[in-house]
């Protein structure tokens, strides 16, 4: 079973994404900020990370850069999807530069969520 790490400070979005992805047989681990993503990665392996861009403590852009800079080569290569409510503030270039493989705009399109997660974990 593929393991998904979701970092999202909105519990509503976190719970919706969890339900959708668990229905597709993904194992979900959810945290509230980028620092917790790094803490989880230090303890376990994941197949993909979904990162909200606007989070307290450490935002998604900063977290993505930190993941790509990890000394563990396998963990540094984990596919990452940015989740943003302000897609207009960033271009795909900005996301790529931070290390993201793709992005999803809020409100989340659940078909797109499932297809992107599947595409990046197969």
């Amino acid at each position: 079973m593929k393991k998904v790490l979701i970092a999202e400070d909105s519990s509503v979005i976190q719970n919706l994404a969890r339900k959708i992805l668990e229905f597709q047989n993904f194992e979900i681990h959810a945290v509230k900020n980028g620092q917790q993503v790094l803490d989880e990665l230090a303890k376990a392996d994941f197949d993909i990370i979904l990162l909200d861009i606007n989070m307290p403590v450490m935002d998604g852009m900063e977290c993505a850069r930190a993941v790509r800079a990890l000394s563990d080569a396998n963990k540094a290569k984990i596919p990452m999807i940015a989740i943003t409510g302000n897609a207009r503030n960033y271009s795909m270039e900005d996301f790529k530069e931070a290390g993201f493989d793709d992005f999803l705009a809020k409100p989340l399109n659940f078909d797109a969520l499932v297809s992107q997660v599947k595409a990046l974990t197969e």
Side-chain angles (χ1 to χ4, degrees), residues 6 12 16 27 30 33 35 53 55 57 64 67 70 76 80 87 90 99 115:
I6 301 177
V12 173
L16 280 171
E27 182 185 326
N33 65 59
Q35 184 55 54
I53 294 302
M55 292 182 291
V57 187
V67 169
L70 291 171
M80 292 187 289
Y90 297 103
S115 66

Side-chain angles (χ1 to χ4, degrees), residues 1-12:
M1 189 182 280
K2 301 284 188 184
K3 288 171 69 175
V4 180
L5 181 57
I6 301 177
E8 166 62 73
D9 59 333
S10 155
S11 39
V12 173

